[in-house]
Amino acid sequence: MLTIYFYTLEIALFSTLVAAAVGVPMAYFTALRRFPGRRLLLSFSAVSLCVPSLIVALGYVSFWGMNGVVNRLFGTQFSFLYSTAGIVIAQGFYNVPFITGIVSEAWERLPHEQENAARLLGAGEARVLRTVTLRQLSGAIGAACIPVFLFCYFSFMIVLLFSPVGRSTLEVEIYHSVRTTLDVGAGAKLAALETLTAFAVVLAYSFVARRSQITSSGVAYVPVVRKGIGGAAFIFVPLVFLIFIFLICPLLSVFVNGAGDLSKLLRGGSFWRAALHSVECAAATGFCCTLAGFAYSVAVKLERKQASVLLQTIPVLPMAISSVVIAWGATMIFHEGTPALLVALETALFWPIAYRQIQNGINRIDYETDAAARLFSKGWLDSVVRIYLPACRPVLIAAFAYCFAVSLGDATMPLVLSIRNFDTLALYTYKLAGAYRFSQACACGGIVAAISMIIFLAGKK
């Protein structure tokens, strides 16, 4: 068990380091430099949130696999996928845009007084970056890296497909204990160890996120004057090249490989049933998550407890529970998976995504408006309907879109619940890949990725 545990930590740690090693330098260029495609590159921050990891795995197989684009192009038989390095590279570059987006936004809003003071005292640009800028960014970097560590720690689909023989992670072993060996005792021990470790990481994330908010609060935003790439091209070009071959090309190859079998896929009745189930489930999950996030945000606002450590920690606690563990626990209690149970479990895991969006909208309501609403409203419900709901309409739509996209791409929970006669598009994609119908799996995965990104970006806009 300890071997599996340390291997899980090893994969999560090295995947996070890869994401940070590429994502933080890229954040420098997107925040402070001007180049063609900058906005497009920042838009890829949606990838790790709305594109399922299963689609990324399919992309890597179609581009870097034994019969992938690279080997066909060069006439070789090279592949690094089915190894620890393959898992680390896939997970690391999958999360690069997430770190880039968060750190870039924080970098744009940094105060410049300390940097200018250091330059006046004779410090060079490299020393200013090392001793001032990176120290100021440490909270934002930590707030970006800790969720990435948890994503990789709970990774299921990529590890399930790419893990070398004889190696496994906690998440995959828990799934095998539940569905293959039926060893409930071993599964329970692994689940307890996994959850306790994740809980400690989540508490660290809560502290780092609050520290990041404190250091950035009260700072007036000064628009950044962006320079061209100039002499930094020797760093910028390799970074873009790495992102291109390890993220963009694999994602594009999913659409290319699936284009030939798209019409065949669309003629199948199973696809349309899975599509209907996906839309129904994602819409219900998005609505329930948005409602839960709005209710919690309103409760915190009405009680004026925004600074409460406990109330701000509660929304991050679901990050400590994996999809496999919560779905397994539900099957132990209810004995059979249902669509309603799937929606309830996804809501329990994903509502903090909605809460984070809605909280930003509610916090924009200034004190004077809030006080006037309390004074002139008939009661708290009247205040919510007349003030909070209209003020939060844009973020409510964004929260629904985020949760819809995340639910649509979730294949893990439907797989563990094993709902009778119920497939989602993500689960249907996994089954097609397992049946060696790879082109159809790419076609279905491309549809899932396209819908998720369109909904996600529409909600963000």
Side-chain angles (χ1 to χ4, degrees):
M1 184 170 68
L2 288 179
T3 302
I4 297 171
Y5 175 68
F6 286 118
Y7 184 65
T8 305
L9 292 178
E10 176 188 342
I11 284 180
L13 177 61
F14 282 107
S15 299
T16 305
L17 289 176
V18 168
V22 179
V24 174
M26 204 66 223
Y28 164 80
F29 289 103
T30 55
L32 305 180
R33 300 285 179 156
R34 183 181 65 254
F35 57 91
R38 174 182 167 274
R39 291 182 179 273
L40 178 63
L41 190 61
L42 284 174
S43 71
F44 272 89
S45 61
V47 166
S48 56
L49 291 177
C50 66
V51 175
S53 58
L54 172 62
I55 310 305
V56 176
L58 289 177
Y60 267 79
V61 172
S62 61
F63 189 75
W64 289 105
M66 295 298 292
N67 296 315
V69 174
V70 174
N71 283 326
R72 291 201 305 269
L73 185 63
F74 294 100
T76 57
Q77 290 293 314
F78 166 77
S79 180
F80 60 86
L81 290 186
Y82 303 101
S83 63
T84 301
I87 297 172
V88 169
I89 290 173
Q91 292 186 157
F93 280 91
Y94 175 46
N95 289 291
V96 161
F98 181 82
I99 290 182
T100 298
I102 292 178
V103 178
S104 177
E105 182 179 359
W107 211 320
E108 286 186 9
R109 296 179 178 275
L110 281 183
H112 303 295
E113 291 81 1
Q114 294 184 29
E115 292 180 350
N116 293 333
R119 292 186 182 100
L120 286 174
L121 292 173
E125 290 301 320
R127 189 174 182 183
V128 171
L129 176 66
R130 186 179 69 255
T131 60
V132 179
T133 308
L134 290 181
R135 288 175 66 89
Q136 291 177 312
L137 285 172
S138 59
I141 294 173
C145 288
I146 292 177
V148 169
F149 179 88
L150 287 171
F151 295 157
C152 300
Y153 181 73
F154 287 138
S155 179
F156 179 69
M157 284 296 173
I158 292 178
V159 177
L160 189 66
L161 294 174
F162 292 165
S163 60
V165 177
R167 306 304 297 269
S168 185
T169 61
L170 290 172
E171 194 80 339
V172 174
E173 281 301 306
I174 292 170
Y175 172 74
H176 285 315
S177 298
V178 174
R179 290 296 172 197
T180 307
T181 63
L182 302 179
D183 190 346
V184 176
K189 291 178 183 178
L190 292 171
L193 180 61
E194 179 188 62
T195 304
L196 287 174
T197 303
F199 184 75
V201 175
V202 163
L203 290 181
Y205 170 72
S206 180
F207 171 77
V208 170
R210 287 198 304 272
R211 180 173 176 269
S212 177
Q213 291 174 357
I214 291 171
T215 55
S216 62
S217 61
V219 176
Y221 172 58
V222 179
V224 176
V225 179
R226 296 186 178 86
K227 304 177 183 177
I229 297 298
F234 74 99
I235 299 176
F236 176 74
V237 172
L239 287 176
V240 173
F241 178 74
L242 288 174
I243 292 173
F244 181 74
I245 65 171
F246 287 116
L247 180 64
I248 298 175
C249 285
L251 289 177
L252 290 177
S253 66
V254 173
F255 296 94
V256 173
N257 281 343
D261 278 349
L262 181 60
S263 60
K264 183 178 180 180
L265 177 74
L266 295 178
R267 289 196 298 267
S270 299
F271 168 81
W272 291 107
R273 284 192 296 272
L276 179 61
H277 294 159
S278 287
V279 172
E280 291 175 343
C281 180
T285 300
F287 175 79
C288 292
C289 288
T290 305
L291 183 62
F294 181 69
Y296 192 81
S297 298
V298 168
V300 172
K301 181 74 172 180
L302 290 176
E303 294 296 326
R304 295 184 176 175
K305 298 287 187 180
Q306 292 93 331
S308 170
V309 174
L310 175 62
L311 293 180
Q312 293 301 325
T313 301
I314 289 175
V316 302
L317 292 181
M319 294 173 62
I321 306 174
S322 74
S323 298
V324 172
V325 170
I326 194 172
W328 176 42
T331 56
M332 296 290 289
I333 297 172
F334 298 101
H335 305 294
E336 186 178 7
T338 63
L341 180 60
L342 175 61
V343 170
L345 296 181
E346 288 186 338
T347 300
L349 283 183
F350 301 151
W351 76 269
I353 298 174
Y355 168 71
R356 291 300 177 192
Q357 296 293 317
I358 297 168
Q359 184 192 37
N360 292 334
I362 283 188
N363 287 342
R364 294 193 188 104
I365 301 175
D366 56 60
Y367 176 80
E368 290 77 10
T369 303
D370 187 33
R374 293 169 187 262
L375 180 64
F376 293 108
S377 297
K378 298 177 182 179
W380 67 268
L381 183 60
D382 185 50
S383 178
V384 168
V385 173
R386 290 175 179 269
I387 302 297
Y388 292 172
L389 200 57
C392 292
R393 188 183 300 122
V395 291
L396 288 173
I397 296 172
F400 174 84
Y402 277 44
C403 295
F404 183 99
V406 173
S407 174
L408 188 73
D410 181 27
T412 303
M413 204 172 293
L415 178 64
V416 179
L417 288 177
S418 297
I419 304 171
R420 193 175 303 170
N421 299 322
F422 185 89
D423 281 338
T424 62
L425 283 177
L427 181 58
Y428 188 59
T429 302
Y430 174 76
K431 290 182 176 180
L432 288 172
Y436 299 102
R437 296 158 64 183
F438 189 73
S439 296
Q440 290 188 45
C442 286
C444 191
I447 291 173
V448 174
I451 295 174
S452 296
M453 290 196 71
I454 290 170
I455 295 294
F456 185 92
L457 294 175
K460 188 175 182 179
K461 185 175 180 63

